[in-house]
Amino acid sequence: MSRPNNFVILGGGISGLSTAWYLSRYAPSSTKILLLEGSNRFGGWIKSKRVGKHKILFEQGPRTLRPNGVGGSVVLDMVNKLNLTPSLHAVTKDDDAVKNRFIYYPDRIIKLPGTSLLSSLKSIIMNNFLLKSIPSILFEPFIKPQKNNHDETIHEFISRRFNNSMSDILISALIHGIYAGDVKKLSIRSTFTRLYDLEQRYGSVIKGLLMSNKEAFLSQQDKDLLKIINDENKELLAIFKNVSLYSFKDGIEQLSSAIVNDLKNRENVQLKTNNQVTKLEFGENVKIFTNDGIYEADHVISALPSRALYHILPKKDTLPHLNYNPSVSVAIINLAYAHPNILPVKGFGYLIPQSTPNNPYHVLGVVFDSDAMPLQDEPSRTYTKLTVMMGGHYFNSISEKDDFPSEEILLQRSIEILEKHLGIYSTPLYYLVDIQKNCIPQYYVGHYSRLKELHYAIKRNYTNQLSVTGASYWGVSVNDCVLNSAKLVFNFLSNSPNVVTGLEKVEIE
């Protein structure tokens, strides 16, 4: 089977950009690459904006990256190759933003156990629900496992292996921060994959954590990738051993902008915005119809949301499950205050569990941006910056009708919440309100099995003409999206005769 030489990539978010970047760097120079983006900008949900005469930086999408894991190493390698290291802003593991994490429950800010033994004991003793979790942690190794690749909701898994309150309070808060989702609907296998794998392999989460090492669940491809990256980035990775979070001087969008600028300098790459794909036709080649013209390719890589891909296929029944999982919308309200020390606590921020009573505005959490990334504004440490996140799965009923609260209402609700939760009665100097519509895919129970069926359907119906990448499949973080796009490209460029779909992981596991 001949390797494709003419690629069209659909979608110019971080997944599409990363796919184009890896192809442009590692495919033969004769490879043609066209990237089509439907909107007027690249970067997708990554949006960093400076506002007002003081040029305060607001993040309306992802705001920090983690250097952990294979995905973290892959992104750092990309950062290094794009010459972005002089712009890095890192937060070390001993910083308050890392050590101090909070939740709001039931009617106050609660500090979660951290790295300090003394502060962790104090936090546990002062909060009854944390105290009640200790016996369930001690007895977890003795609970009979459910094996045979059984999937269930996160709530069912955590309640079965630990207790209900751990799921309802701690885990649901964490899920609000990552997926803005409902802990009683999301799949344990596809969200907290490590916990799922620990039970499958060791029969217990706690036993598995004690017995396994970092490489226990890595594929051979992951190990090979890590070795190459570690060899090429020794100095940077050594510096980042004590780093927990990082961003860039001008925000996360500096990463996507650097990829775009790099791609513009490559002769075999074309980038086009304002090209909304309306349909695909598969024959000897693939025809891509957009509002601006018709393009042809040997192979199409869709980095679109799976539901968007579903609507442009010539036959809707050829690929199953593309429109099964919904995506949630999140309201992002950025606020900057002209005073540097108005927060009652220092830390990254706080999340709000699903079980917290009296949450009428459906707040998911509040990020203390001026603590999390204090050096992105000039002069630094002069302002207090906060981001309020609302909606997510709570918005599901109004998302279908597109009946979201107005910007004025969202702003007023945010100010009211900050008064109630943090005692902030000042008027913000600057603010920015946006609703990120359908921004985070929700991996409902059975997601892995559906991906397996989708993988074989692509192989059967669109052999060597279509593959997929993006947040709809193997993870929603920036690290996940970059890593999976990199793997897709490396699978294309390997000498293997296998058809590449982007979902090969289902054959490995």
Side-chain angles (χ1 to χ4, degrees), residues 72 162 326 437:
F162 297 97
K437 296 179 181 178

Side-chain angles (χ1 to χ4, degrees), residues 349-394:
Y350 63 92
L351 296 169
I352 302 182
Q354 259 176 263
S355 54
T356 295
N358 300 318
N359 186 17
Y361 299 152
H362 301 143
V363 181
L364 302 167
V366 177
V367 180
F368 303 163
D369 295 296
S370 45
D371 283 354
M373 280 291 149
L375 303 176
Q376 290 176 318
D377 299 307
E378 297 291 344
S380 62
R381 303 185 189 278
T382 304
Y383 312 96
T384 296
K385 289 195 305 183
L386 304 166
T387 300
V388 179
M389 300 168 291
M390 293 183 187
H393 66 100
Y394 295 118

